[in-house]
Amino acid sequence: MAFTFAAFCYMLALLLTAALIFFAIWHIIAFDELKTDYKNPIDQCNTLNPTVEKVKKIKRVRLALKLVLPEYLIHVFFCIMFLCATEWLSLGLNMPLLAYHVWRYMSRPVMSGPGLYDPTTIMNADILAFCQKEGWCKLAFYLLSFFYYLYG
Amino acid sequence: MSSPAAGLSSQNGAGRQACSNGPIQNLIMMQAPGRGYNTAAQTMHPQHMPAKAPLEQPAGQYHYGCYQSSPPVSVYQGPGQSAPPVSVYQGPGQSAPPVSMYQGPGHSAPPVSMYQGPRQTNMTRPPMRPLQPHQAGSARIAAPAPSSTPPPVCSNSFYPGSQIPPHSQWAYGTPPPMSQPSVATNHVTSAPSQLSAARYGIQNSPPQGPPAPLNTSVQPGQPSGYGMQNSPPQRPPASLNSSVQPGQPSGYGIQNSPLQGPSAPLNSSVQPGQPSGYGIQNSPPQRPPAPLNISVQPGPAPPPVSPLSSQSYQSGRQPFGPPPPVRPEAPPTGQLNNAATPPPPAAAAKQEVPVPGAERTQIHNSFDALESGGRNAAQHHPQMGRAVGLSYPSLPLGYQNMAVSPCAPGMQPLSQRYPAGAQSFQQAALGPAQLGSALGGMNLQQSQPEALRAINLLQERNLLPRGPVTPPVPCLPQDLQRLNCSPEVFRCTLTNIPQTQSLLNKAKLPLGLLLHPFKDMSLPVVTSSTIVRCRSCRTYINPFVTFLDQRRWKCNLCYRVNEVPEEFMYNPVSRSYGEPHKRPEVQNPTIEFIAPSEYMLRPPQPAVYLFVLDVSHNAVETGYLDTVCRSLLDSLSLLPGDTRTKIGFITFDSTVHFYNLQEGLSQPQMLVVSDIEDIFIPTPDSLLVNLNECKELVQDLLKGLPQMFTRTLETQCALGPALQAAFRLLSPTGGRVSVFQTQLPSVGVGALKSREDPNQRASAKDIPHLTPATDFYKKLALDCSGQQIAVDLFLLSGQYCDLASLACISKYSAGGVHYYPSYHHLHNPAQVEQLQRDLKRYFSRKIGFESVMRVRCTKGLSIHTFHGNFFVRSTDLLSLPNINPDSGFAVQMSIEENLVDMQVVSFQAALLYTSSKGERRIRVHTLCLPVVNSMADIFAGADVQAITGLLASMAVDRSVTASLSDARDALVNAAIDSLRAYRSGGLSVQQPGLVTPACLRLLPLYVVALLKQKAFRTGTSTRLDERVFAMCQLKYQPLAYLMLMIHPALYRVDNLTDEGAISIADRTVPQPATLQLSVEKLSRDGSFLMDSGSVLYLWVGRNCAPNFITQVLGVPSYTAIPQTMTQLPELDTAESTRTRAFISWLREQRPFYPILHVIREESPLKASFMQHMVEDRTESALSYYEFLLHLQQQVNK
C-alpha cells in the first residue's frame, strides 16, 4: 500500500508545483524587468548589447504572459487529481487559489485571444505593482505547497 | 513592442543601432551627420567646432572680444526663416563675423538682438563673460567687500545702486566690481525685488550669516556651496581677489563668504539664484524682478512682510564686518531657516555642500579642477584660460567701475539671452538642503497673503478672476525660474513638490504633469554633431544641470557626472570657447535638436497620408464626402511634406475600393476588393503615390469621388477590413490614416452591434458599455503603432456608432478622434462649417512622424500612469506614431524615494520625431520645480487647473475600469480630501464654513463642472457616443482647451467698452469680465458670449438693447434673429467692431476655429448653451452652492 493513487497525486503535484514555482519566478522577473526597464539600461547591462537585451526582454515578457494560461491549467489539473484521490485537505488548501484564478480570468480585459494582460494598460504603475505582488504571493504559496506535498 | 518599434527607441540609446554606439555616439555623428534625408540639417551645420586656435589672440583682446576669425559654428535657424545674421557679441572695437544666427522660428530676433543690444563695451562684457564660477566668486567677493552693500551681490539688488560705494568693491579686488555693476543695474528697490532677494538670502543664509549656527557647526567657511570650498575662510579678501584673477587658481574660492561676515547672508543668497555671476547680473536687467516676485507671491509683499527678508536686509546693511569670517549676528532669519529645515543631510553634503570633511575635498576637487582647468587651459591656450576663468581679472579696474552703474542698461539684453542658468541651478541644487526648505519657508510666508489666504467659499462668491486663471509660478530663484519651461507646455499640478510620498498622501492632492509637447511655438533649433546627454540616464543637457567645471557637468536627474564633449566647449552663439554653460542648450528650457543619424533606425520616413472614406448609403446621405474632398482639394498644397510626400485613398462600403493613381494613367482607376474576410492589396505599388508627381490624378479623384457613389444602395459598412487594408498599405512606410466613418461597422472583422439602449440613457444609474466591445480595434492599433501608423478617426453620425470600441483605433495609435454628431450637409450647416474649419486645420497643421516621447524625472520620482493617446512602450516611453500640435498628455507621478536632500527636481520630456520634411528632430522640454517639506508649501503651490485636468483624466480611467459612479465619487472625494487635508493640516484658521486656500478656491467649482460635463453627468440624457467622445477629449486635449471645455468662459458682450481693452496689431480688443456660469448672471436685457473652447455661443436676451441687435447682429429686431446664425455681419459700427474684435481675438488664441452660434432664448440650441451653466441646479445634479454645502458637511465631519 505504499504506492497509492494519492501518493501518485502528491508526486505529480510535487513536480507540477516545481514547474509552477518556475513560472512564478519567471512572472516576477518579467514584470520586474518591465518595471525597471527605464533605469539605466546602459549601466545595467554594460557588457551586453542593450538592444539585444531589450529584444530578449520583450520576448521574455511575452513568454511570461503566455505562461499564464498553462499555469492555470496545471493548477486546475492537479486540483482535479486531488479531487479524484479524495484528498480533501490538499484540495481545500488549493481551493482559494483556484477560485482566485477563475475570478482573475473572468475579470480579464476584453480580449479575443487567451491571455490576461493587456499591453496597453500593463505599464500602469498600479497594475504593474499588483502583478508583481501577485507573483510574489503565488511564489510563496507554491513554495509552501511544494514542501507540503513533499512531506505530506 | 515589435522590433521596429523597439528600434525607434534609439532615443534612449537603447535602440539597436544607437545602443551599439552607446556613449560613443559622437563618433558616428561626426562621420555621417546626415544621411540622405538630412540634407537640410547638414547645410545648416556648416562646420564643426573650430579648433581652439582661433581663440588665441593677443592678450589684450581676449577679454570679451569676439573671436573674430572663428568660422560660424552653427546656425540656429528658426523654422522657416532666415534672418540676416545678427552680429553677435562684438568686441568693443571689433565687429566679429556673425558666429551664429539664432533665429527663432518666428523671427526670434530677440535672441539675436539681445546679444547685440548690450552694445557691449568692455564694461558690459565682463559680466557676460564670466564663467559661472567666477562670477559667483566675484559676486561674493563684491558682497563682502562692500560690506555695506551686500545686496549688490544679490542680483536682486535690494539696494539702490547708488548706495553702493564703488570703491568698496574695489577695496578687495577688481573682479568683484564687475559683478557689482550688474547688480547695480538691477537696483530695483521695489519691494518685490527685495522680497526675492530676501528669499535668496534666506536660502543661502543657512550656511552663512544667520544660519551661522548651522554652518558654523559645519564649517565657518562654507557658506555657499559653491565658492566656499576653495577658499579657506580665513583668507583675506585680497587673496580672494587675487584668486579671481586670471593667473590664480583659487579664483573661485574667493567667494567664500566667511570673509564677508555680515554681508555673507546676502551673498549666499545670491548663490542660489545666481550661481553664476552671469546669471545674476543679467537676470535682474532682463526681467524686472517684480514679475517674478509677483508671480511667486501674488500680493505685493512689503519687504518687511517676512521676517526673513527683513533680516537679510539688515544684515546686508550692516557695515562690513571685519574681513575675517565674522560670525554674523545670528539674525532671526537664520533661525527660521534652520527651523524649517533640518541641518543639511549628509546626502546634500555629498553632493556639493562644502562640508569640511571629505566632502570638502570633493568639492575642492571640483573647484580645483575648475580652476586648474582654467589654468591648464590657459597654459595650453592662454586665451582660453583667460576667457574662462580669468576674464574678469584682466579687465582694467576702471572698467569695472564703469560697469557698476552706467552699463547696466546695456547688460540687460545679454542677461536675458544668456542667463547662466546652469550654474545658478547648480548652486541651488548643490546648496545645502536647507536651501530648499528655506525656499519653502519663504514661499510660505510670502505667499501666505495670496495663495494660502483662507477663503470661505460659502461667503465669497466672486471667485473667478476677471481674466484667465493664471498658473502659479514655481518658487524658484529668479534666474532659474526664468529658464523654466513655459506653463503652456509643461505644467505640474503641484509647483512645489512634496519631499516624501507620505507628505503627498497627507496633502491629498494629485501629483502629475500636464504636457503639450508639440505645441505650435517658436523655439531655438540646434544643429550640432553632438547632442550632449547624460551617459547614464540619457537626459539631454538642459539649463538645470550643474557644471562642476569647464569639462564636467552633473546631470540634474541622476546626478551622474559627465564630461563635456569638446564641441560643446565652443559656444556658437557667442563664438567663444570654454563657455559650455552659455550654449543654447543650457539657456533654453525648450529646444529642438536636429538629430544625427544614430537617432534613426531607418531613413526618416516621408510624409504619407492615407484617407479611408466611408461611401455606404448612409455616408452618402450625410453629404460629407463633398466637404471632405473639397477641403482636401483646397488644402492639397498645404499638406505638410516634402517632395517625397505620398498620398492614397481607400473607400469602403461592404467592399473595399482602392484607387490606382499611378503616374501615366489618364484617370484614377478604382479597384474593388470584395473579399473582405481576407483582405489583400491589389497593386501595392501604385495605391500610394507621390503627391507631387500625381497631383492631377489626385485632384481628378477628389473632384469625382463625391459623385461616384451618389446612387449607391449599399448600406453595409466594412470598416474593419478597410482598416486592415490601410494598415497593410502603410506598413512599409508608416504614416497617417484619416478615417471618415458614419455608421456602425456591420460586416467583416471588427463588426459591432448596437449596445446602447436609448431609453436607459437618462435613468440608468450607471452607464454600461464604456469599454470596447471587441479588442479588434485595439490590437489593430497596436499593430499600427508598431509600424508607425496613426489613425485619426472622424465620426460623422447621427446614430450610435460605438465610439467606445472605435476610438481604440486612435487611442493606441496616437491619433485623434473627431466627432460630429448628426452631421448632415443640409440639415446641419453649422456642423458643415465646423468640419470644414477643422479639416483645414487638420490638413495644414504640423505633424511629426515615427515619434517617441520619453519623460524623465529626477531620481526618486517615478511615473505612475500616462494619460492621452499613445502606446506606453516602457515605463517612461510613449510610442507615438504621429504627433500633432493639438494633443496633450498627462502623467501621474509618484514619489518613490524621499527627496530629502534635494532642493529642486526636474522633469524632462523629450520628443523624438521625424518632421514632415524628413528631418529627425528632438524637442526637449525641461521643467524644474522646488521641493518643499511642509503642507503649507504644497498647498501654496497647487495649480488648480492642472489638478482639474489630471483629475479629469484619472476619472475617465476610473469610469472605464470601474464605473461611472465610482468615477464621480472619486471626483467628489478628491475635492473633499484635499480640503479636509487643508483643514486638518492646521493651515487654516478654524472657522466655520468651507475654507480653502486661495489657490484652490476654484477646485470645488471645477469639480462641479466636471460632474456636469457630458463625460460624467448622470440623470441627463446623454448619448453614449457623446459621452465617450467627451472622455476622449478629456484625456488628450491640451490643458488650455480642456479648461474651457470643463468650465467655459462667459462674457457679457452687449455693453463692451474699450475700458481695459488691450490692443493687438492696431486692433482694440475689449476685455469683458468673466462671469459665473449661472443663469442668474444672464439677463434678458443683455447678450452673452460663452466660450466653451470648440464652440462659441452668443446668447441674446429677449429684451436686449435694440442697439445691439441692429448694430451688431444686423437684424432689425429680436424676433428677426434667424434660427441658425453662425456669422456676425461685418457692420461698420463701433459695437460691431468691438464684438467682432473680441470674438476673433478669442479664436486666435487656439489653433482650431470655434463656430459661433447666435441663439435666442427659445432657440433649440438653448439646451446646449444651458448645459454649461454649471453653477445652477439641474434635475439630477446639485447646484454649486449645494455642492459646497455637501463638501462642508463632509470636510467638517
Side-chain angles (χ1 to χ4, degrees):
Chain A
M1 196 57 196
F3 193 78
T4 60
F5 180 64
F8 173 73
C9 281
Y10 277 112
M11 287 176 61
L12 200 61
L14 193 66
L15 293 178
L16 291 178
T17 306
L20 289 183
I21 289 173
F22 172 72
F23 284 173
I25 292 174
W26 207 324
H27 183 101
I28 291 169
I29 291 177
F31 280 102
D32 195 58
E33 282 189 335
L34 263 186
K35 190 177 180 187
T36 54
D37 167 25
Y38 73 105
K39 281 186 182 159
N40 294 347
I42 297 187
D43 280 356
Q44 259 178 357
C45 33
N46 255 336
T47 51
L48 282 176
N49 183 333
T51 314
V52 174
E53 178 64 9
K54 186 154 196 169
V55 170
K56 253 197 242 160
K57 195 183 299 173
I58 289 171
K59 277 188 188 152
R60 216 183 288 165
V61 169
R62 287 206 174 146
L63 199 56
L65 301 190
K66 273 185 201 151
L67 285 179
V68 166
L69 210 52
E71 177 192 335
Y72 288 8
L73 292 180
I74 290 174
H75 190 249
V76 169
F77 171 72
F78 67 73
C79 282
I80 292 174
M81 295 284 284
F82 284 134
L83 183 67
C84 298
T86 63
E87 289 291 331
W88 302 119
L89 179 60
S90 303
L91 186 61
L93 289 177
N94 276 295
M95 277 316 282
L97 186 61
L98 192 63
Y100 172 75
H101 281 168
V102 171
W103 169 82
R104 186 95 164 86
Y105 205 75
M106 286 305 183
S107 61
R108 72 190 185 128
V110 178
M111 209 173 285
S112 49
L116 197 55
Y117 303 108
D118 178 356
T120 58
T121 55
I122 193 71
M123 295 309 297
N124 179 301
D126 282 338
I127 295 183
L128 211 52
F130 173 80
C131 292
Q132 274 186 304
K133 219 180 289 167
E134 182 191 28
W136 283 111
C137 292
K138 273 191 193 171
L139 181 61
F141 179 83
Y142 290 142
L143 271 178
L144 287 178
S145 52
F146 180 81
F147 288 108
Y148 170 73
Y149 301 145
L150 190 59
Y151 299 108
Chain B
M1 298 188 100
S2 65
S3 59
L8 286 178
S9 63
S10 58
Q11 211 192 351
N12 309 335
R16 287 182 192 168
Q17 299 175 354
C19 300
S20 58
N21 304 334
I24 319 169
Q25 300 163 352
N26 301 342
L27 293 178
I28 296 179
M29 302 183 49
M30 311 275 295
Q31 292 172 351
R35 290 220 176 140
Y37 297 108
N38 285 14
T39 54
Q42 288 192 348
T43 57
M44 297 170 109
H45 182 214
Q47 284 205 358
H48 291 285
M49 305 286 315
K52 300 167 187 175
L55 295 176
E56 305 214 354
Q57 289 183 350
Q61 297 193 352
Y62 37 173
H63 320 296
Y64 299 92
C66 32
Y67 303 103
Q68 302 169 346
S69 61
S70 64
V73 174
S74 68
V75 182
Y76 298 101
Q77 291 188 346
Q81 322 180 349
S82 66
V86 178
S87 73
V88 182
Y89 231 69
Q90 297 180 343
Q94 319 171 348
S95 66
V99 173
S100 63
M101 324 174 202
Y102 207 74
Q103 302 176 346
H107 310 281
S108 56
V112 175
S113 64
M114 307 179 42
Y115 252 113
Q116 297 177 341
R119 195 28 304 198
Q120 301 133 355
T121 57
N122 294 337
M123 324 178 33
T124 54
R125 291 234 178 116
M128 306 182 46
R129 265 316 186 94
L131 299 180
Q132 305 146 344
H134 263 312
Q135 287 204 350
S138 64
R140 269 177 214 159
I141 293 169
S147 58
S148 62
T149 61
V153 174
C154 307
S155 47
N156 312 328
S157 66
F158 307 106
Y159 309 65
S162 60
Q163 291 189 351
I164 306 174
H167 68 277
S168 66
Q169 298 174 353
W170 311 112
Y172 289 96
T174 51
M178 309 287 311
S179 65
Q180 277 207 351
S182 63
V183 173
T185 40
N186 305 333
H187 308 295
V188 177
T189 344
S190 67
S193 67
Q194 291 188 351
L195 275 181
S196 66
R199 199 186 309 149
Y200 290 117
I202 295 168
Q203 301 168 349
N204 301 332
S205 54
Q208 298 189 348
L214 271 179
N215 294 327
T216 47
S217 65
V218 176
Q219 239 204 352
Q222 321 239 344
S224 55
Y226 233 44
M228 335 135 122
Q229 316 98 345
N230 299 336
S231 58
Q234 303 111 348
R235 280 191 185 184
S239 67
L240 282 179
N241 293 331
S242 63
S243 66
V244 173
Q245 292 179 354
Q248 312 190 344
S250 60
Y252 292 115
I254 302 166
Q255 311 101 0
N256 308 330
S257 29
L259 300 175
Q260 308 161 354
S263 58
L266 271 179
N267 292 330
S268 61
S269 66
V270 173
Q271 287 188 346
Q274 310 183 343
S276 55
Y278 219 45
I280 300 168
Q281 302 166 350
N282 299 336
S283 58
Q286 302 182 345
R287 287 191 186 178
L292 269 180
N293 294 329
I294 293 172
S295 60
V296 175
Q297 328 129 343
V305 170
S306 65
L308 286 178
S309 65
S310 63
Q311 267 222 354
S312 59
Y313 206 58
Q314 292 181 353
S315 63
R317 291 234 170 156
Q318 299 175 351
F320 336 45
V326 176
R327 266 318 70 171
E329 313 89 285
T333 338
Q335 295 177 351
L336 263 179
N337 289 330
N338 294 337
T341 58
K350 261 193 227 158
Q351 291 185 354
E352 302 247 323
V353 179
V355 174
E359 294 155 20
R360 190 188 181 181
T361 60
Q362 206 186 12
I363 298 166
H364 234 303
N365 291 339
S366 63
F367 274 90
D368 283 349
L370 237 190
E371 284 212 336
S372 67
R375 251 190 286 163
N376 292 339
Q379 292 171 356
H380 298 173
H381 324 274
Q383 293 189 351
M384 187 190 109
R386 292 179 184 179
V388 175
L390 308 172
S391 54
Y392 279 114
S394 65
L395 292 175
L397 293 180
Y399 255 161
Q400 300 170 350
N401 285 332
M402 318 241 325
V404 173
S405 57
C407 294
M411 310 271 313
Q412 287 190 354
L414 286 179
S415 60
Q416 288 188 355
R417 195 41 194 171
Y418 303 98
Q423 291 216 350
S424 50
F425 201 29
Q426 254 188 336
Q427 292 194 350
L430 301 180
Q434 300 156 349
L435 268 183
S437 60
L439 265 180
M442 289 300 301
N443 180 11
L444 172 60
Q445 289 194 350
Q446 295 180 352
S447 54
Q448 185 98 38
E450 197 38 46
L452 281 183
R453 181 167 57 91
I455 292 183
N456 187 346
L457 291 180
L458 294 177
Q459 282 166 3
E460 291 199 38
R461 273 231 71 192
N462 293 317
L463 298 170
L464 286 175
R466 188 182 153 87
V469 180
T470 52
V473 174
C475 183
L476 284 171
Q478 196 167 335
D479 41 359
L480 273 192
Q481 177 52 32
R482 185 185 52 245
L483 290 170
N484 227 345
C485 205
S486 154
E488 290 176 343
V489 173
F490 217 142
R491 256 167 106 161
C492 185
T493 55
L494 302 178
T495 50
N496 294 326
I497 305 288
Q499 214 167 44
T500 64
Q501 179 73 37
S502 62
L503 198 58
L504 176 62
N505 292 342
K506 250 200 275 173
K508 299 281 186 192
L509 291 170
L511 174 61
L513 304 171
L514 285 106
L515 277 163
H516 188 181
F518 206 54
K519 182 179 165 60
D520 290 314
M521 60 193 298
S522 61
L523 74 183
V525 180
V526 171
T527 308
S528 167
S529 59
T530 313
I531 296 181
V532 182
R533 303 174 64 179
C534 173
R535 287 189 56 176
S536 157
C537 63
R538 310 301 294 153
T539 298
Y540 295 83
I541 197 165
N542 60 69
F544 309 107
V545 302
T546 310
F547 279 94
L548 296 181
D549 58 36
Q550 282 293 303
R551 309 294 302 186
R552 294 181 305 150
W553 60 278
K554 188 175 194 183
C555 175
N556 54 333
L557 269 64
C558 68
Y559 302 113
R560 184 191 203 277
V561 176
N562 294 275
E563 301 213 337
V564 177
E566 187 61 25
E567 288 106 305
F568 204 73
M569 297 297 291
Y570 186 85
N571 183 354
V573 179
S574 64
R575 272 191 306 158
S576 51
Y577 187 84
E579 296 181 339
H581 55 281
K582 286 190 215 159
R583 298 256 312 187
E585 291 91 329
V586 191
Q587 297 295 335
N588 296 286
T590 293
I591 196 162
E592 194 155 291
F593 298 96
I594 310 271
S597 55
E598 78 231 27
Y599 289 85
M600 312 167 189
L601 286 182
R602 57 177 187 179
Q605 68 163 79
V608 180
Y609 305 105
L610 179 65
F611 296 89
V612 179
L613 306 163
D614 180 3
V615 293
S616 62
H617 179 74
N618 186 52
V620 174
E621 265 301 292
T622 63
Y624 87 91
L625 264 184
D626 192 44
T627 312
V628 172
C629 291
R630 218 163 355 98
S631 300
L632 183 54
L633 209 50
D634 295 342
S635 306
L636 218 45
S637 55
L638 299 178
L639 282 175
D642 53 11
T643 54
R644 302 179 299 151
T645 306
K646 287 179 163 185
I647 193 167
F649 296 88
I650 292 176
T651 57
F652 62 96
D653 40 34
S654 64
T655 56
V656 179
H657 322 131
F658 298 88
Y659 295 87
N660 184 348
L661 301 168
Q662 188 68 18
E663 204 176 359
L665 289 177
S666 58
Q667 60 177 29
Q669 191 179 22
M670 183 164 114
L671 309 164
V672 179
V673 174
S674 52
D675 181 8
I676 56 173
E677 293 309 319
D678 182 19
I679 197 79
F680 65 94
I681 307 295
T683 55
D685 301 334
S686 53
L687 300 180
L688 270 184
V689 295
N690 187 298
L691 178 57
N692 296 311
E693 290 165 6
C694 308
K695 204 161 198 170
E696 284 77 22
L697 278 179
V698 172
Q699 284 167 338
D700 284 352
L701 176 63
L702 286 175
K703 284 172 191 155
L705 205 51
Q707 278 73 48
M708 285 164 73
F709 298 97
T710 43
R711 307 191 162 265
T712 187
L713 294 175
E714 189 57 71
T715 55
Q716 302 281 55
C717 166
L719 176 65
L723 285 174
Q724 282 179 324
F727 166 67
R728 291 204 190 164
L729 200 50
L730 286 191
S731 284
T733 53
R736 181 176 80 186
V737 180
S738 312
V739 180
F740 292 82
Q741 168 74 9
T742 62
Q743 58 173 314
L744 205 60
S746 53
V747 291
V749 286
L752 299 169
K753 293 195 178 64
S754 180
R755 297 188 288 170
E756 186 187 35
D757 179 1
N759 301 323
Q760 295 291 313
R761 271 187 209 146
S763 56
K765 211 54 194 138
D766 236 332
I767 312 297
H769 306 313
L770 290 174
T771 49
T774 162
D775 69 339
F776 167 77
Y777 294 98
K778 179 158 77 182
K779 278 162 77 180
L780 187 59
L782 294 184
D783 290 342
C784 286
S785 173
Q787 299 299 322
Q788 306 300 332
I789 302 165
V791 183
D792 291 327
L793 179 64
F794 289 81
L795 190 59
L796 315 104
S797 159
Q799 298 109 42
Y800 175 71
C801 277
D802 201 353
L803 189 59
S805 303
L806 291 183
C808 288
I809 189 74
S810 298
K811 211 181 275 178
Y812 301 113
S813 66
V817 179
H818 307 255
Y819 182 43
Y820 303 86
S822 318
Y823 182 91
H824 195 278
H825 65 122
L826 295 178
H827 303 157
N828 203 341
Q831 289 272 27
V832 176
E833 193 190 350
Q834 180 84 58
L835 177 64
Q836 277 173 343
R837 301 278 188 178
D838 286 359
L839 284 178
K840 188 172 179 210
R841 160 76 180 164
Y842 176 73
F843 290 141
S844 58
R845 74 186 177 189
K846 220 177 141 177
I847 184 170
F849 296 97
E850 46 185 7
S851 63
V852 289
M853 182 168 79
R854 193 176 285 269
V855 179
R856 297 182 171 89
C857 46
T858 297
K859 212 163 54 178
L861 293 170
S862 73
I863 292 167
H864 186 277
T865 309
F866 287 100
H867 300 280
N869 287 359
F870 47 70
F871 171 59
V872 192
R873 222 168 51 208
S874 165
T875 28
D876 57 350
L877 183 68
L878 301 182
S879 156
L880 303 165
N882 282 183
I883 179 75
N884 69 67
D886 298 334
S887 58
F889 302 89
V891 188
Q892 261 175 273
M893 313 284 307
S894 57
I895 302 173
E896 286 204 329
E897 300 163 31
N898 293 350
L899 308 170
V900 175
D901 50 349
M902 304 174 194
Q903 286 76 50
V904 291
V905 290
S906 305
F907 304 91
Q908 185 172 73
L911 180 74
L912 173 67
Y913 69 98
T914 302
S915 76
S916 53
K917 307 280 185 230
E919 271 175 351
R920 205 78 173 126
R921 286 170 172 243
I922 309 166
R923 189 177 285 200
V924 179
H925 307 281
T926 314
L927 178 73
C928 176
L929 295 173
V931 175
V932 299
N933 62 359
S934 79
M935 289 275 282
D937 294 343
I938 298 173
F939 276 102
D943 180 342
V944 69
Q945 289 194 314
I947 289 174
T948 310
L950 189 61
L951 282 179
S953 287
M954 291 161 68
V956 171
D957 270 5
R958 179 68 72 88
S959 54
V960 172
T961 57
S963 69
L964 194 69
S965 54
D966 260 22
R968 290 171 55 88
D969 291 347
L971 278 176
V972 177
N973 288 335
I976 293 173
D977 289 346
S978 52
L979 296 185
R980 191 183 286 158
Y982 175 72
R983 188 182 173 86
S984 64
L987 299 174
S988 64
V989 188
Q990 294 293 329
Q991 52 176 306
L994 183 62
V995 182
T996 67
C999 58
L1000 285 181
R1001 68 189 188 280
L1002 293 176
L1003 184 61
L1005 176 59
Y1006 286 153
V1007 169
V1008 168
L1010 270 179
L1011 292 177
K1012 295 184 180 178
Q1013 242 289 320
K1014 267 184 194 158
F1016 300 116
R1017 71 186 179 193
T1018 55
T1020 319
S1021 180
T1022 308
R1023 290 156 71 174
L1024 192 52
D1025 280 349
E1026 288 191 26
R1027 187 186 295 278
V1028 172
F1029 177 62
M1031 289 185 175
C1032 292
Q1033 284 196 304
L1034 287 179
K1035 284 207 89 167
Y1036 84 104
Q1037 285 228 333
L1039 185 64
Y1041 316 139
L1042 187 64
M1043 286 320 296
L1044 278 179
M1045 183 182 150
I1046 294 172
H1047 188 270
L1050 182 69
Y1051 311 93
R1052 178 162 188 161
V1053 291
D1054 61 319
N1055 52 1
L1056 289 179
T1057 64
D1058 284 343
E1059 189 183 334
I1062 56 174
S1063 63
I1064 299 173
D1066 70 80
R1067 275 185 316 146
T1068 309
V1069 181
Q1071 299 287 301
T1074 319
L1075 301 176
Q1076 287 155 17
L1077 292 172
S1078 167
V1079 174
E1080 110 194 24
K1081 293 288 173 187
L1082 298 180
S1083 86
R1084 294 212 161 148
D1085 308 333
S1087 77
F1088 296 83
L1089 183 73
M1090 178 186 284
D1091 174 12
S1092 70
S1094 55
V1095 187
L1096 298 173
Y1097 297 100
L1098 182 60
W1099 185 87
V1100 185
R1102 190 184 303 278
N1103 301 329
C1104 184
N1107 188 35
F1108 180 80
I1109 293 176
T1110 54
Q1111 302 294 308
V1112 176
L1113 300 178
V1115 293
S1117 67
Y1118 173 78
T1119 48
I1121 298 175
Q1123 203 56 250
T1124 56
M1125 181 173 179
T1126 56
Q1127 300 273 14
L1128 287 186
E1130 299 209 4
L1131 302 178
D1132 193 17
T1133 61
E1135 293 85 349
S1136 174
T1137 314
R1138 271 193 215 118
T1139 312
R1140 282 183 292 113
F1142 180 59
I1143 290 176
S1144 63
W1145 176 73
L1146 287 177
R1147 281 175 171 159
E1148 282 160 10
Q1149 290 175 336
R1150 60 209 73 168
F1152 45 86
Y1153 184 93
I1155 293 291
L1156 173 74
H1157 293 284
V1158 178
I1159 54 179
R1160 295 190 296 179
E1161 279 187 30
E1162 64 277 7
S1163 150
L1165 273 174
K1166 187 187 171 190
S1168 53
F1169 174 73
M1170 286 303 171
Q1171 76 182 7
H1172 291 300
M1173 293 296 177
V1174 295
E1175 294 200 14
D1176 290 333
R1177 167 170 234 280
T1178 66
E1179 296 163 17
S1180 54
L1182 299 178
S1183 73
Y1184 175 57
Y1185 190 76
E1186 289 166 329
F1187 181 71
L1188 288 182
L1189 290 177
H1190 174 67
L1191 284 189
Q1192 184 197 11
Q1193 194 184 352
Q1194 296 292 320
V1195 168
N1196 295 343
K1197 208 157 45 174

